[in-house]
Amino acid sequence: MYKILKTRDHLTTCSANYSRLRKILCSFKHDIYVFEILNHAQKSEAEFIVISRTKHTISIEAKFKNNDLALVNFLLRINIYIDAKLAEVVSYQQEKPVPFFSPPQFSHSRDEKYQQNRILTEWLENIFTNGAVELKKINFLND
């Protein structure tokens, strides 16, 4: 029963992440997206790069860059499953999470996969809350 609840929560999180990413990345039409996060306290940037694209799956590398605090920078690899309408984090800081079905190793948490997908959820919510502007538009205004 616990695994069923865990799987349902995971699928709900991945479905919500797909929805948010589809809105931010304009239905995945382009291969590179760079945004400045509109947060008056700090200057930060979100970058999404399509690594591979097939008929049913898109792999994206997502980076958060904060120019003031390099400590909070992070890198996510995300698989977007078009038919299932799911977006799942497959790697955080280039380290893969432990699958649900295997026992956790010494250095891994039991819910690491959930935590990594939750980081993506909170980051995307932050982008929606603070707003974001494509760097192309900002650079166009400065020219």
Side-chain angles (χ1 to χ4, degrees):
M1 173 104 165
Y2 177 68
K3 285 192 178 202
I4 292 171
L5 291 174
K6 191 189 273 189
T7 302
R8 185 183 67 203
D9 291 344
H10 179 71
L11 290 175
T12 302
T13 301
C14 292
S15 178
N17 286 343
Y18 174 87
S19 230
R20 291 179 183 102
L21 280 169
R22 189 174 51 80
K23 288 178 186 174
I24 292 172
L25 304 182
C26 306
S27 297
F28 317 112
K29 294 177 185 171
H30 307 291
D31 288 339
I32 297 175
Y33 303 85
V34 181
F35 302 99
E36 183 174 334
I37 309 298
L38 301 176
N39 185 349
H40 48 76
Q42 301 172 0
K43 184 172 181 177
S44 55
E45 197 174 286
E47 183 177 302
F48 299 88
I49 300 170
V50 174
I51 298 170
S52 70
R53 186 186 298 263
T54 65
K55 184 177 180 182
H56 303 287
T57 307
I58 300 172
S59 293
I60 291 180
E61 184 173 271
K63 296 177 187 176
F64 174 75
K65 299 176 187 175
N66 186 314
N67 296 336
D68 299 328
L69 295 168
L71 184 64
V72 297
N73 294 349
F74 61 84
L75 171 75
L76 299 171
R77 290 269 171 110
I78 306 162
N79 277 349
I80 298 171
Y81 306 105
I82 306 293
D83 293 347
K85 296 184 179 176
L86 298 171
E88 180 181 36
V89 175
V90 292
S91 147
Y92 173 76
Q93 303 292 64
Q94 299 180 340
E95 188 172 315
K96 294 185 179 189
V98 178
F100 288 133
F101 54 83
S102 74
Q105 298 169 357
F106 178 71
S107 65
H108 290 87
S109 169
R110 286 184 160 267
D111 64 344
E112 184 174 359
K113 189 174 190 97
Y114 175 76
Q115 289 177 22
Q116 292 178 3
N117 282 285
R118 192 66 197 153
I119 287 171
L120 175 60
T121 300
E122 291 179 13
W123 182 40
L124 295 174
E125 286 176 358
N126 184 23
I127 291 173
F128 278 114
T129 302
N130 290 312
V133 177
E134 282 187 82
L135 280 183
K136 290 181 202 172
K137 292 180 181 177
I138 293 172
N139 290 337
F140 173 74
L141 293 173
N142 291 332
D143 290 339

